[in-house]
Amino acid sequence: MTAAVTRTDPDALVEQWLDTDLDEWTRRVVRRHFDPVAGSPFWLGRARQLGFDPRDITRYDELGAFGPFPLDRLREDDPADLVPLSVPRPLAGRVWDTGGTTGTPCRVFYTPDMLLHRATWRRWSFVREGFEPGRTWLQATPTGPHLIGNGVREVSELHAGLVYAVDMDPRWVKRLIRTGRLAEVGDYTTHLVEQITDVLRQGRVQYINTTPALFQVLRQRHPELVAALDGVRLSGTQISADMYRTFRAALQGGICGLTYGNTFGNAACFDVDRDGELISYVPNYPHVTMAVVDKGDRSTPVAPGAVGQVRLTVLHENLFLPNILERDQALCHRTDRWPSDGVANVRPLQTTSSAPEGLY
């Protein structure tokens, strides 16, 4: 897919991706993973249990035949087994983890092309939202095994930025909350804010990338530091209209950029309408797609404007994860300015009682 375009031309890559026919891309990805010789060991092993030949799939909307993807397999299986054997062994690179909110983290391997895809779309959203290249950033997000921490490299390599970073372990805060140790949650929050303010007080940072909840604490405790910023990029699972309006006011004219997603796939903010009452996102096409499905029948998409559960599909050449049911609900949002469905007004799924997210 990327061979015809230089890796240093992100605008050409985006144009090429947006011109991709989703049915054709689906056929390519599925057949690559189910190739009898060079396919993915994970999918070749599951092929016998499917009751149909995946190589007969010709359209994106036929991927529902796979049913919901069993996320437990990403907790137990070797991440390398999901990568087609056509990728030379031994694999070299990073294994990334989910946050582990509902138990043992899920783990996936990202090839260089997958990281390039994510970084290129992130740069696209920076440009669209008005973040200037060549500025100084502070990355105050989960680090270590969490993919969002790779934003330091994405900013510096594709948006010509100088980047500071702080340490953040979201799993520790979640554990504290689960065990009722709320005083220690406060101590850890203070620890994070101290790291952030130590950098911001030097006056060298124009933009910060962090989570909505942590930015809320920073705004409450140090409004003068927030007001001095040229912008913030908020990465997380949800942000309310009230939070958006509060942040915009605190930034005093600075940019408030948004993104929605997780380790499996991201969506960039596409529109903010009615002063934050409608916040819509579009996925990193064509390798990531999203649908909104009926909560009672996860195989049935809802009508545009209706609320349902978010369903994510990963269609990378080297990672195929169909029909991941997220812990979020959203409006189905369609626009003729994007080749696939988007989502809007993302919130925690109300039909479940998931573990707390804390500051993350």
Side-chain angles (χ1 to χ4, degrees):
M1 184 75 180
T2 62
V5 181
T6 173
R7 298 173 72 89
T8 60
D9 189 352
D11 294 326
L13 279 174
V14 167
E15 183 178 350
Q16 186 180 41
W17 290 333
L18 288 175
D19 284 341
T20 300
D21 178 85
L22 190 53
D23 290 334
E24 180 182 345
W25 183 248
T26 297
R27 292 192 293 271
R28 175 174 178 162
V29 170
V30 172
R31 290 170 185 173
R32 177 176 171 87
H33 282 80
F34 286 93
D35 182 278
V37 175
S40 152
F42 172 87
W43 283 112
L44 291 176
R46 290 187 65 85
R48 310 179 194 95
Q49 310 166 23
L50 293 175
F52 63 94
D53 187 344
R55 292 173 296 177
D56 291 337
I57 285 180
T58 60
R59 302 192 312 275
Y60 172 79
D61 61 13
E62 295 174 336
L63 292 177
F66 286 97
F69 184 83
L71 286 177
D72 281 346
R73 298 270 52 85
L74 300 183
R75 297 183 172 98
E76 301 170 9
D77 290 16
D78 184 346
D81 286 346
L82 283 109
V83 181
L85 293 173
S86 52
V87 179
R89 264 46 174 190
L91 297 177
R94 285 290 301 270
V95 173
W96 301 100
D97 290 10
T98 60
T101 298
T102 57
T104 303
C106 297
R107 295 181 171 91
V108 292
F109 177 83
Y110 265 55
T111 63
D113 280 349
M114 294 167 66
L115 289 173
L116 175 67
H117 178 259
R118 182 184 186 276
T120 302
W121 275 121
R122 193 157 183 255
R123 174 196 174 274
W124 174 87
S125 63
F126 284 165
V127 173
R128 191 172 185 273
E129 291 165 340
F131 292 100
E132 296 287 343
R135 301 297 184 91
T136 300
W137 287 75
L138 170 60
Q139 182 89 7
T141 62
T143 48
H146 305 287
L147 184 57
I148 189 173
N150 198 54
V152 171
R153 176 173 296 179
E154 294 166 351
V155 169
S156 61
E157 292 187 358
L158 279 178
H159 212 51
L162 182 68
V163 188
Y164 292 83
V166 304
D167 290 324
M168 186 184 297
D169 181 2
R171 293 179 193 158
W172 180 241
V173 171
K174 293 172 186 178
R175 180 176 180 179
L176 294 176
I177 294 174
R178 290 190 188 101
T179 55
R181 296 150 67 184
L182 300 185
E184 292 180 60
V185 173
D187 288 344
Y188 191 69
T189 301
T190 297
H191 169 64
L192 293 174
V193 172
E194 286 175 350
Q195 291 183 70
I196 293 170
T197 57
D198 179 62
V199 176
L200 294 185
R201 284 196 175 108
Q202 298 171 7
R204 302 169 188 151
V205 170
Q206 286 87 44
Y207 303 134
I208 182 172
N209 184 189
T210 190
T211 67
L214 190 53
F215 190 67
Q216 183 79 292
V217 176
L218 181 66
R219 178 196 67 81
Q220 292 166 346
R221 297 187 186 180
H222 301 281
E224 76 288 355
L225 295 178
V226 169
L229 292 168
D230 291 335
V232 62
R233 190 94 189 310
L234 298 172
S235 303
T237 53
Q238 60 267 329
I239 182 171
S240 68
D242 285 343
M243 291 174 71
Y244 178 78
R245 288 191 287 265
T246 299
F247 294 161
R248 286 292 305 273
L251 287 163
Q252 299 184 11
I255 301 166
C256 185
L258 307 172
T259 185
Y260 162 63
N262 54 33
T263 307
F264 306 125
N266 278 30
C269 183
F270 199 65
D271 283 316
V272 178
D273 294 331
R274 303 193 300 274
D275 199 22
E277 293 298 326
L278 180 72
I279 301 175
S280 63
Y281 304 87
V282 289
N284 293 357
Y285 186 87
H287 308 71
V288 177
T289 62
M290 292 177 174
V292 180
V293 297
D294 190 284
K295 298 177 188 179
D297 178 8
R298 270 77 173 190
S299 65
T300 303
V302 302
V307 176
Q309 185 171 4
V310 178
R311 188 179 71 189
L312 173 74
T313 289
V314 178
L315 282 169
H316 283 286
E317 288 181 300
N318 297 325
L319 183 65
F320 174 53
L321 303 174
N323 309 318
I324 296 174
L325 294 174
E326 300 282 26
R327 299 189 309 274
D328 304 316
Q329 67 176 28
L331 298 174
C332 175
H333 184 77
R334 293 180 182 170
T335 171
D336 57 8
R337 293 178 291 160
W338 207 255
S340 65
D341 283 0
V343 297
N345 292 4
V346 180
R347 301 288 184 271
L349 187 64
Q350 294 178 352
T351 58
T352 65
S353 179
S354 61
E357 292 288 339
L359 286 172
Y360 317 103

